[in-house]
Amino acid sequence: MTTSPSSSKKELSLEQQEELLKILKARFEKNMDRHSDLEWTNVQAKLEANSDKLWSLYEMEKTEGEPDVVGYDEQSGEYIFYDCSAESPKGRRSVCYDHEALESRKQHKPENSAINMAADMGIELLTEEQYRELQKLGEFDKKTSSWVQTPAAIRKLGGAIFCDRRYDMVFVYHNGAESYYAARGFRGSLRV
């Protein structure tokens, strides 16, 4: 995907919009098992009416998250997108959990935190429950791991949680929120 100065304004050029919609449509059609009861034309109409959400999906794609539709909320009328890349998105790894953790590091600070990056992108980190839902759609994070939303009680004590898939099971682990690893990133969700 190409980047341009307009992406810093959270707006996409017509060319970027068309390129992204083409990528999302191809992924949608290739992975119908994730959303067998949904139609692309309805998803596209919703995306075209929400340029800010399209920008967020562009950012998810740019960081190699491979966003795809994983559900539809009947009550709100929103389509639900998750990062569906096989491994934690490459453009979002080597980050600590949140801004507080980033500030607490005196040496060898990572460039950013998962919470800050997600906010900048207009997305939210998956919850543990959403992460488990994602794993029902395929096998993800077999070599990497992903930070997930951490309960306030755990975060208050200095920790954060992350998940991965090993031995054909989903595991939830803990770490100091300030830690970061080359193989740990985060997956996001977006409602459109």
Side-chain angles (χ1 to χ4, degrees):
M1 300 202 61
T2 57
T3 52
S4 74
S6 67
S7 64
S8 63
K9 291 187 268 180
K10 298 190 178 190
E11 294 177 17
L12 299 178
S13 69
L14 189 57
E15 182 181 306
Q16 289 170 319
Q17 289 178 37
E18 289 172 359
E19 180 184 2
L20 178 61
L21 288 170
K22 188 171 132 183
I23 291 167
L24 293 174
K25 180 182 181 188
R27 184 173 299 127
F28 183 92
E29 291 173 347
K30 181 180 178 185
N31 298 286
M32 287 305 295
D33 54 319
R34 295 177 184 160
H35 39 249
S36 58
D37 54 343
L38 302 177
E39 292 184 30
W40 173 252
T41 52
N42 297 333
V43 176
Q44 183 170 339
K46 193 83 164 190
L47 289 171
E48 289 173 341
N50 291 279
S51 61
D52 58 328
K53 304 289 184 162
L54 203 55
W55 181 86
S56 293
L57 286 166
Y58 182 85
E59 293 297 303
M60 291 169 82
E61 185 68 29
K62 188 170 78 172
T63 54
E64 301 184 48
E66 300 179 21
D68 196 10
V69 178
V70 297
Y72 179 73
D73 185 329
E74 295 278 344
Q75 286 187 304
S76 67
E78 295 173 310
Y79 292 96
I80 303 162
F81 284 81
Y82 288 173
D83 285 304
C84 293
S85 54
E87 301 298 338
S88 197
K90 287 182 184 176
R92 297 187 231 152
R93 295 185 196 164
S94 296
V95 293
C96 61
Y97 181 72
D98 61 12
H99 187 72
E100 181 184 343
L102 182 64
E103 291 300 308
S104 75
R105 289 198 68 106
K106 302 300 177 211
Q107 296 181 44
H108 312 292
K109 285 188 179 200
E111 288 186 32
N112 210 337
S113 74
I115 296 291
N116 287 354
M117 285 184 78
D120 289 346
M121 296 168 69
I123 64 175
E124 293 186 9
L125 266 67
L126 294 183
T127 63
E128 178 186 344
E129 180 182 350
Q130 290 170 326
Y131 189 90
R132 290 181 183 282
E133 287 172 16
L134 174 67
Q135 291 286 2
K136 292 175 185 173
L137 301 176
E139 295 184 355
F140 303 93
D141 287 338
K142 291 172 75 175
K143 298 175 187 169
T144 58
S145 61
S146 297
W147 289 114
V148 294
Q149 288 184 33
T150 297
I154 294 173
R155 186 61 197 96
K156 186 177 179 181
L157 295 172
I161 58 174
F162 64 94
C163 299
D164 64 23
R165 182 184 197 104
R166 302 292 190 272
Y167 308 107
D168 204 28
M169 283 189 65
V170 176
F171 289 90
V172 179
Y173 302 96
H174 59 89
N175 223 168
E178 73 286 346
S179 63
Y180 66 99
Y181 301 93
R184 182 175 312 146
F186 71 93
R187 293 177 182 276
S189 68
L190 180 72
R191 289 175 161 260
V192 182

